[in-house]
Amino acid sequence: MLTVPAALAVVAVFGAFGSASDGEGRADVVVEMTNLADDGRAEEPTPIVDQLAAGDVLDVSVVAGTDGANGAVRQCKRSFSGVNGCTNRYPVQFNDRGRARFQYQLDDPGGCGPAGSCVLVVNDFDGERRALVGLVFGAPAAPPPLVTI
């Protein structure tokens, strides 16, 4: 029997007609995050939010979380060994439909430019759901790799 875990989708809305750091505070950019498989690898590519600045505030809506669960959001470094070096932790409470909504102010821990590997992580404390989105401060994200066969 094939078991497929439910996705945890997080929508982060910020910025205006362009980058998140334009200072206008109007919402226009939407990013959807998905859960990770048990082995820690993404089932889908990790979405990336770029051109961030320290102090930017994300308006985060979480859907398909664990009903009634407590959890957290935090900024971390991502490496081959997993997610580590997390900072800026903030509690998250999921409602009876597995949804949560909150504002989250970003810190720039350094090393999170286009060549860095920084992520926003949202999870529940039971470990049933976890989601990531890449964070790039101060510049556009590097283009995805191009493979030619």
Side-chain angles (χ1 to χ4, degrees):
M1 181 165 119
L2 177 64
T3 304
V4 178
L8 172 66
V10 177
V11 179
V13 182
F14 62 94
F17 302 97
S19 73
S21 58
D22 68 1
E24 297 295 323
R26 292 182 296 249
D28 189 57
V29 179
V30 177
V31 177
E32 184 174 326
M33 295 167 34
T34 59
N35 70 320
L36 295 182
D38 290 338
D39 62 7
R41 289 184 293 202
E43 294 176 358
E44 297 180 18
T46 301
I48 298 172
V49 180
D50 61 1
Q51 299 184 21
L52 296 168
D56 281 346
V57 176
L58 301 182
D59 182 5
V60 182
S61 294
V62 184
V63 297
T66 303
D67 298 350
N70 292 314
V73 58
R74 59 203 185 281
Q75 290 175 242
C76 305
K77 301 282 183 165
R78 188 174 188 189
S79 66
F80 290 111
S81 62
V83 175
N84 52 51
C86 299
T87 61
N88 199 17
R89 186 171 180 243
Y90 187 78
V92 173
Q93 174 66 52
F94 294 89
N95 69 14
D96 61 352
R97 294 184 318 230
R99 295 175 183 230
R101 183 164 183 182
F102 54 90
Q103 290 185 331
Y104 183 76
Q105 186 171 15
L106 296 170
D107 287 336
D108 183 356
C112 293
S117 186
C118 298
V119 291
L120 181 74
V121 179
V122 179
N123 69 304
D124 64 31
F125 291 146
D126 295 332
E128 293 183 27
R129 305 276 196 277
R130 180 171 72 162
L132 305 176
V133 66
L135 301 174
V136 178
F137 285 82
L146 177 64
V147 177
T148 305
I149 299 178

